[in-house]
Amino acid sequence: NLRRALAGIAARMDATEDVLFVWIASHGGEDHQLLVRLDPLALAQIDPPSLAAMLADTGLVHRVVGISACYSGGYLPALSNPNNLVLTAANADQPS
C-alpha cells in the first residue's frame, strides 16, 4: 500500500523540483523493522532496504522522511544521501 501511495503521489510531482515529505509513525523493533499489521492480513514489515527501494522507485530527487518509531535510527544508513533529509525519533540502538 505504501509503495502504491508513493507511486501515485510521485506521478503528480515534478521529479526534480518538488520535495516529497513522508512521515511514518509506527512501532519499531531492534531488528529495524517497522510494524505493519492489519489482522487478519499477512503483511510484510518495512525494513530499511525496502523503504529505500520504495523511495528510489518514485524517481523523485528531493525527499524528507520522518520516522517516529523505536530504533528508527537504523534507517539512516539506507536512506541517507545528499538529497534526503531523514528525521528519526530514536538512535539505532535505543527505543524512543
Side-chain angles (χ1 to χ4, degrees):
N1 195 26
L2 179 58
R3 184 180 305 276
R4 287 184 190 158
L6 289 171
I9 292 166
R12 292 163 178 79
M13 296 176 68
D14 181 310
T16 59
E17 294 293 325
D18 293 339
V19 178
L20 174 69
F21 186 95
V22 178
W23 185 263
I24 300 172
S26 183
H27 294 287
E30 291 181 60
D31 59 355
H32 305 127
Q33 291 193 27
L34 298 175
L35 177 64
V36 179
R37 187 170 155 191
L38 183 60
D39 292 334
L41 300 175
L43 302 174
Q45 307 314 303
I46 301 172
D47 62 12
S50 298
L51 183 56
M54 286 183 228
L55 293 169
D57 289 348
T58 67
L60 299 171
V61 176
H62 307 290
R63 301 177 290 236
V64 176
V65 181
I67 304 174
S68 180
C70 293
Y71 307 100
S72 53
Y75 282 74
L76 289 172
L79 300 180
S80 295
N81 72 49
N83 294 314
N84 284 350
L85 173 62
V86 182
L87 310 164
T88 65
N91 290 331
D93 59 352
Q94 295 180 327
S96 56

